[in-house]
Amino acid sequence: MSKNNIALLVVAHGSRRDASNDEVRKLVELISIRPGILFKIVKPAFLELASPSITEGIEQCIKEGASEIVVFPYFLSAGRHVTEDVPKEVDLKRKEYPQIPIKIANYLGSNQGIADLVLELVT
Amino acid sequence: MSKNNIALLVVAHGSRRDASNDEVRKLVELISIRPGILFKIVKPAFLELASPSITEGIEQCIKEGASEIVVFPYFLSAGRHVTEDVPKEVDLKRKEYPQIPIKIANYLGSNQGIADLVLELVT
């Protein structure tokens, strides 16, 4: 196991509809096959209604040898899920694995590049 | 009123937290000031929990002289909101204003460019 094995955990809300969860899984697949990607491990996780949970996702990353984890909130706005629920789950795991740094990245909606994606889709 | 006055209505889910709705309003502002933008009218609307509603948003566009409207579902996955709820609201307005074409664009999550935004935020 490398000392610098950074994992990316893409955390989405989760849906009762499997098709919606599969969209997140497909995005994760797309990211994981990017040429030159920094992350050796890229996984999805869901806050609720789907598997794996955030806890399970972090455990999977660690089992696969992650020495560091970046949790990415795949949310459009900084609502309670982003500001409270995701950090709460992550904090529990930080206490359990103090030797593994777990960072929470800025949520998707914070990237102003979203305006470009919108314009691509409507024009 | 021009014959080619296309309006863009960015439809988000809507939240009890005003800060979340304000993020959508800011995005709309960002889009509206893009140099060379095709749309003379760019407005936000919310499926639920916030104002204006989709109905109100479409009405506002028409009052401001829109001859055509593009409704953009600002959603990450093609759940029930995207496949049923938004089209249902739009259909009612199509019947009311048959002379105004109202098109529904592909939802945000359908743009594979999202993978790039994710990578910008995590690296």
Side-chain angles (χ1 to χ4, degrees):
Chain A
M1 278 184 266
S2 152
K3 272 197 170 171
N4 277 309
N5 196 348
I6 310 179
L8 173 63
L9 190 69
V10 176
V11 174
H13 184 280
S15 167
R16 271 179 200 88
R17 286 169 57 109
D18 248 352
S20 295
N21 303 323
D22 283 344
E23 289 191 69
V24 178
R25 295 183 183 111
K26 267 178 217 152
L27 172 75
V28 165
E29 169 73 12
L30 251 177
I31 292 172
S32 70
I33 58 173
R34 279 293 160 106
I37 181 154
L38 171 75
F39 304 96
K40 289 179 190 151
I41 302 165
V42 186
K43 294 199 172 288
F46 301 93
L47 184 62
E48 51 189 51
L49 303 170
S51 287
S53 66
I54 298 177
T55 293
E56 289 164 347
I58 290 174
E59 296 278 353
Q60 284 174 5
C61 291
I62 295 173
K63 262 187 200 139
E64 292 188 21
S67 60
E68 201 176 324
I69 300 172
V70 176
V71 170
F72 175 71
Y74 188 60
F75 288 81
L76 287 175
S77 64
R80 191 171 43 82
H81 295 320
V82 168
T83 59
E84 294 173 33
D85 301 338
V86 173
K88 206 181 288 173
E89 297 279 323
V90 168
D91 272 346
L92 291 173
K93 289 291 139 183
R94 280 180 179 141
K95 275 174 199 144
E96 210 174 324
Y97 301 96
Q99 77 283 21
I100 315 273
I102 309 179
K103 183 187 151 189
I104 302 180
N106 278 331
Y107 65 102
L108 179 66
S110 70
N111 192 327
Q112 297 204 338
I114 278 198
D116 296 309
L117 293 194
V118 174
L119 285 167
E120 272 176 32
L121 286 163
V122 296
T123 51
Chain B
M1 277 185 269
S2 153
K3 270 196 172 173
N4 276 310
N5 196 347
I6 310 178
L8 173 63
L9 191 68
V10 176
V11 173
H13 185 279
S15 166
R16 274 180 197 88
R17 287 168 57 110
D18 247 353
S20 294
N21 303 323
D22 283 345
E23 288 190 69
V24 179
R25 296 183 182 110
K26 266 178 219 153
L27 172 75
V28 165
E29 169 74 13
L30 250 177
I31 291 172
S32 71
I33 58 173
R34 278 293 159 106
I37 179 151
L38 170 75
F39 305 95
K40 289 181 189 150
I41 302 165
V42 186
K43 293 201 173 290
F46 300 93
L47 183 63
E48 52 188 50
L49 304 170
S51 286
S53 66
I54 298 176
T55 293
E56 290 164 347
I58 290 174
E59 295 279 352
Q60 286 175 4
C61 291
I62 295 173
K63 264 188 196 137
E64 293 189 18
S67 59
E68 202 177 322
I69 300 171
V70 177
V71 170
F72 175 70
Y74 188 60
F75 289 81
L76 287 175
S77 65
R80 190 171 43 83
H81 295 321
V82 168
T83 59
E84 295 173 32
D85 302 337
V86 173
K88 206 181 285 172
E89 297 278 323
V90 168
D91 272 346
L92 291 173
K93 289 291 138 184
R94 279 180 179 141
K95 276 174 198 146
E96 210 175 323
Y97 301 97
Q99 77 281 22
I100 316 275
I102 309 179
K103 183 188 151 189
I104 303 180
N106 278 331
Y107 66 103
L108 178 66
S110 70
N111 191 326
Q112 295 205 340
I114 280 198
D116 295 309
L117 293 194
V118 174
L119 286 167
E120 272 176 32
L121 286 163
V122 296
T123 50

